[in-house]
Amino acid sequence: MRNAIWNYKLMNETHPTPETLDREARAQLEALETIGLDNLKNRDRLKIPPQNMPAQEPGVRRLNTREVTLGYSDAQARVEALRCLQCRNAPCVAGCPVRIDIPRFIKACAAGDHDAAIAVIKENSLLPSVCGRVCPQEVQCQEHCTVGKSLKDIGLAVSIGRIERYVADHERETGKAQPPPVKPDTGKRVAVIGSGPAGITVAADVRREGHAVTMFEALHKPGGVMMYGIPEFRLPKDIVRFEIDNLRRMGVEVRPNFVVGRTRALHKLLEEDGYDAVFIGSGAGLPKFMNIPGENLVGVFSANEYLTRCNLMRAYDADRADTPVARGRHVAVLGGGNVAMDAARTAVRLGAESVALVYRRTRTEMPARVEEVEHAEEEGVEFHLLVNAQKIIGDEHGQVRAMECLKYELGEPDDSGRRRPVAIPGSEFTMAVDTVIVAIGNDSNPLLRQTTDGLDSNRWGNIVTDENGKTSLDRVFAGGDIVLGAATVILAMGEGRRAAQSINNMLKPI
Amino acid sequence: MGHKIMQRRQLADEVVQLTVEAPLIAAERRPGQFVIVQLNDDFGERIPLTIADADAKSGTITLIFQTVGKTTHLLGDLREGDTIANLLGPLGQPTHVEKYGHVVAVGGGIGGAPLYPIAKAMREAGNRLTVILGARNRDLLILDQEMRAVADEFILCTDDGSAGRKALVTEPLRELCEATHAPDLVVAIGPPIMMKFCAETTRPFNIRTVVSLNTIMIDGTGMCGGCRVSVGGETRFVCVDGPEFDGHKVDFDNMIQRLGAYREHEDVAHEKCHLELQANERNASDT
C-alpha cells in the first residue's frame, strides 16, 4: 500500500472543524458583547480562549497540495483580536521588522472594521496576505506580546499573524484590494532586478511616486521564492499572482526571462537604456551542500531543485507536467529550517513511505516556524534530532542507497548563544534511504557579482550596502537576501522599503 | 510575446536548426554560451540548448538540436512563423578565446553545434585551427561545410566509414598529439563518453583539454544546483561556473550517471509524445 502511515496517533487525531471553531467563536463574541466590548478589563481579555487555526486534517492534507491552514472566520478573528491588551508601549511593534502599528490594526479588527484594519497594515506592509502566512511571528511580534508573557507561554500570545492574514484575505476576497494610487508620471525610470518580496516592494513604492518601473525576472514566472520555493500548501500561488497583477495594474512592466548581467549588463541599463536607478533584489539563490562524500550521487537534490521542480515546474502534477521529480520511497531531508520542512512535507505529498528529517541540534534550535514543525510532525515526518549525515552511499548505478549518520549531543553555547552540537565518537549508524534532500541554506548568487565591475560584496558574496540600501555603484541599490544572506520575506520587504525610500529621495525634483 | 522562428532547416536525420528572433541574446551572446528553452509556461520543462550562431544585426540566434526527448521533439515540430514561449540567455561563462597557437577542435554528433562558434572565434583570434568532426554515419553529419570553411585542417570521420575516415575522433586526435608540433589546446564537445575519451587521449601528452558540458538544468542561473558536476574533486555548477571545464578533471562517470537520472521518465514522455504527434497527423489527414 502506498503511503504507509508511521504515526497513527498524530495523523488520526482529529481537530475541531472550521464550523465548530466558528460556532464557538460566535458564542464567545456574543458573551463578550453582553459585557460590552469597550468595558473589557485586562483580566477579562486574558481569559478569552486563544483561537485555534482551522486546518485540513493531517491524514487528508498529506494526499493533496491545497493550503493546510484554512484561516479564521470573522468571529474568530474578532475574538482573537479582543485578546489584545492594547499596551501603550506596544512591545509587539518593536518586534516587527517593518513596524506595523499592530495594536491599532487589531483594535479595528476587534471592532469588526476590517477595512480600517487592513489600511493600517498597508501603511507599512505591502504583502500582508503573504506575511500573515509565512512570517515567523513567534520570534518577531508575538515573542514580545504581553498576553503571552502574562500567560507564561509565547504560544498563547495574541495570534497577530493570523489576524493579519484574515483582514488581508477578507479585503482580497471581497474585491476591495485596489492597487495604491500612482502619482503623475515623472519621466524617471527605475529598473528592479528580481521579482521576489524585495523587488515587489521596491516596484510598488517607487511606482507610487510616479516613476516608471520595469521589474526583471530570470525565471518564466514572477514572484521569486514565493513562486519557486514556498509550496502551494503553505502559500497559495493565486495570492502571489494577485500581488504581481496589482503591480501591473499600477503600471509596472514585468519582464520575465531576463537575467540582468547576462541578457543585459547592469551598467548598460543605466548608461544606454535610460534607467535612472537600479535596485538589485535577486535573492540568495545558490544552494549550499554539505561537502560530504556521495553528495553528487543520483537521488541527492538541493531543496531548491526539489521544490522548484514541484512548485514552479508543477512536477507534482505528473500527468500534465513535462518536468519529472524523484518520487523517493525513503526520503531524508537535511536541515531544520522552513525550507527543510517544506521539502519534507512535499516528499510526504509525493507519496514517500518514510520521510526522515535529519537535524544536528534539537527541536528548540530549529529555525523553522513552530507551526510548520508541528504540521510536519502531524503529517508523519520523522524527526531525527542530534544527528548529522556523514556520507551518502550509492549502489553500482550511482543511485543513493543509504546514508551514514553520526549522533550528536549538545555542548557549550557557541557564538550564536545556541548550545554547540558535539559529535559522539563511535555513534555511526546507517539509514536506508533512496533520496536525500539538502536544505541547509543558500549562498549568494554569483551571477551579478561576476558580470558587474565595481559592485562590492563581502566575503560571503553578499552585496554591501550603506544604511540607505545604496551599493558601491552610483545609482545602484540592493536589498533582501542578496544583502542579508538567506532571511525571510518580511526582512526582504523591510529592506526594499528602505531602498525605495532612498531611490525616491534621489529622484525627487530639486 | 514569445520568440518567432524565422527559419527552420532539417540538418540531418533527427537534427533540426532553428533561427529564432531574440535580439537581446543575439547582441550579447559569445561563443560557449547557451540558452534555456521552454515551450509552455505552466507545464513545459526548461532545457538548455547551446547557441550555434547568432546575427546581432538581424537580431537572431541559431539553435541546433537533436530530437531526443519530448521537448526537443515538439521544438523540432515547430514551423517558420511559430513562436517559442520562453527563451532565457545568454547563460554560462563565455569561452576564453586567445591566441594559443595550434588549437584542435573536436566535435562529435550534435556537439558540432556549440563547437562551431568556438572554432570560428579561435581561428579569428589567430590560432592555427584543426577541426576533427565525427558522426555515427554520413546522414548524421552536421556543419561539415561550415567547419571545413573555417578550419586550416579538416578531418572528417564516421563510425561506419560512410564519409571521411572510418574511425572514432580519438584516433586522429591521438595522431595529432603524437606529431612533432603537438596541439596547444584541445576543445572537445560531443556526447559525454566522447569527451571522456578525448580527455583520456590527451592526458598522457599533458595537453590542455577543454570540454563543454550539457547537464540537466532547471533555472540555468545557479539556483537549483541540479547541473552540478565534480571537477577535480570539487562540486561545480555547469550553469554559472561552466559550461566549459578542464576535461582532465571532470568526473565523467558521475556526470553520465546523473544525466540518466530521469531516463525512465524521459523515455515514457518521449513515447507518449510520438503517439500524440501521430494521432494529430491522423486527425489532420482525416479532416
Side-chain angles (χ1 to χ4, degrees), chain B residues 35-207:
Chain B
V35 289
I36 294 265
V37 175
Q38 188 191 27
L39 296 175
N40 164 320
D41 254 16
D42 281 325
F43 297 106
E45 66 180 331
R46 295 167 62 98
I47 58 163
L49 290 179
T50 42
I51 306 171
D53 209 349
D55 182 347
K57 213 179 278 167
S58 65
T60 57
I61 60 169
T62 305
L63 303 175
I64 297 177
F65 54 91
Q66 199 167 2
T67 52
V68 287
K70 180 177 176 183
T71 300
T72 45
H73 222 102
L74 294 176
L75 193 64
D77 230 45
L78 295 177
R79 301 285 141 202
E80 288 170 10
D82 287 347
T83 55
I84 295 174
N86 297 315
L87 203 55
L88 173 72
L91 300 170
Q93 305 279 356
T95 307
H96 185 73
V97 178
E98 62 171 57
K99 191 168 174 189
Y100 296 94
H102 181 200
V103 174
V104 176
V106 190
I110 197 73
L115 187 67
Y116 176 63
I118 298 170
K120 209 161 69 168
M122 288 296 182
R123 177 73 206 281
E124 281 161 11
N127 291 291
R128 187 158 85 78
L129 176 70
T130 301
V131 173
I132 305 174
L133 197 64
R136 285 207 309 277
N137 59 57
R138 65 180 301 165
D139 297 331
L140 295 172
L141 269 177
I142 57 162
L143 299 172
D144 44 331
Q145 299 305 322
E146 288 84 349
M147 287 292 200
R148 195 184 293 274
V150 296
D152 294 292
E153 186 189 4
F154 180 71
I155 303 165
L156 185 64
C157 19
T158 50
D159 295 6
D160 66 354
S162 53
R165 255 173 89 167
K166 181 174 189 292
L168 298 173
V169 289
T170 43
E171 260 185 54
L173 179 62
R174 179 174 297 106
E175 290 158 15
L176 287 168
C177 293
E178 285 163 349
T180 343
H181 296 288
D184 298 293
L185 177 76
V186 172
V187 183
I189 311 181
I193 197 77
M194 181 210 97
M195 293 193 280
K196 176 182 168 176
F197 282 104
C198 284
E200 288 316 315
T201 303
T202 59
R203 193 191 298 276
F205 301 96
N206 211 9
I207 296 169

Side-chain angles (χ1 to χ4, degrees), chain A residues 263-276:
Chain A
T263 309
R264 193 83 175 139
L266 190 145
H267 68 90
K268 285 189 183 169
L269 294 177
L270 289 164
E271 288 155 21
E272 294 175 25
D273 301 342
Y275 288 99
D276 298 285

Side-chain angles (χ1 to χ4, degrees), chain A residues 70 84 103 128 145 150 162 173 187 215 245 273-274 340 356 374 430 435 456 484 500:
Chain A
L70 303 169
C84 172
C145 175
S150 306
R162 294 172 181 177
E173 284 158 10
M215 192 161 75
D245 284 344
D273 301 342
E374 286 169 2
T430 304
T435 304
D456 287 353
L484 300 167

